[in-house]
Amino acid sequence: MARTSNPAAPTPSASAASAGDASSDTKTDLARFDNGWYQPGPRWKILLWFLANSVFLNNYLPIPIALKTAILRLFGAKVGIGVVIKPAVNIKYPWFLTIGNHVWIGEQVWIDNLSEVVIGNHACLSQGALLLTGNHDYRRVTFDLTTRPIILDEGVWIGARAVVCAGVHCQSHAVLSVGSVATRSLSAYGIYQGNPAVLVRQRIITA
């Protein structure tokens, strides 16, 4: 005799119906998303920066670093001396950016600064590093946008393809290893690794 399905097991259509009966207050509704409160600057300024960023920074053209830093300053960034900016660097809003002296910003670094980003003297951001100041409140039905600043103190090293999340403060000479994700602040001279990044050892610098 052929085996029949368990009559007690819900069919796919029954499962879908049950999901449809769930309260709308317990499900994300992106149709209600509204970031109208977030106003990073006048529309004309954002548009001009989008064009300037594409022409002078976020490409592989041999643009002189002096010209890159001049453009950043023109759009409101505070940039120190001796800064190195490699090709294909993407910066969201330079008027929310402070860069100290002798900072290295590697190829394909993305500074997604919806709010303030401060990079201290002698800090290094290696290839493909991401500074991510924006997030979403997943506890809200409306998936609200949230933003928090990022601070990198003097001598901090953010490794290649590493991610620094919103609200993180990397204290003096902290290191975030290759491909790691910092969701919490890093202590001074600590070396952090993993996702989420955890302290693995201390950084010892010799003369």
Side-chain angles (χ1 to χ4, degrees), residues 19 34 66 82 103 111 157 160 174 197 201:
D34 179 13
V103 170
I111 302 176
W157 181 13
R201 58 184 177 277

Side-chain angles (χ1 to χ4, degrees), residues 114-193:
L114 298 175
S115 58
E116 293 287 341
V117 166
V118 178
I119 303 172
N121 300 335
H122 303 282
C124 175
L125 281 68
S126 291
Q127 301 94 320
L130 170 60
L131 305 186
L132 188 63
T133 62
N135 205 344
H136 291 277
D137 188 347
Y138 61 85
R139 299 165 299 181
R140 302 280 296 174
V141 171
T142 46
F143 205 54
D144 295 344
L145 173 68
T146 64
T147 69
R148 288 190 293 164
I150 288 173
I151 300 174
L152 309 182
D153 285 348
E154 180 181 12
V156 165
W157 181 13
I158 306 301
R161 302 292 179 186
V163 179
V164 180
C165 294
V168 168
H169 179 187
C170 299
Q171 297 181 9
S172 178
H173 292 84
V175 175
L176 183 62
S177 300
V178 171
S180 298
V181 180
T183 59
R184 299 179 182 227
S185 294
L186 311 185
S187 62
Y189 288 87
I191 299 176
Y192 290 77
Q193 188 174 37

Side-chain angles (χ1 to χ4, degrees), residues 38-54:
Y38 180 71
Q39 300 293 333
R43 187 68 179 169
W44 63 265
K45 187 176 183 181
I46 294 171
L47 179 58
L48 279 179
W49 171 247
F50 175 81
L51 297 174
N53 190 37
S54 299

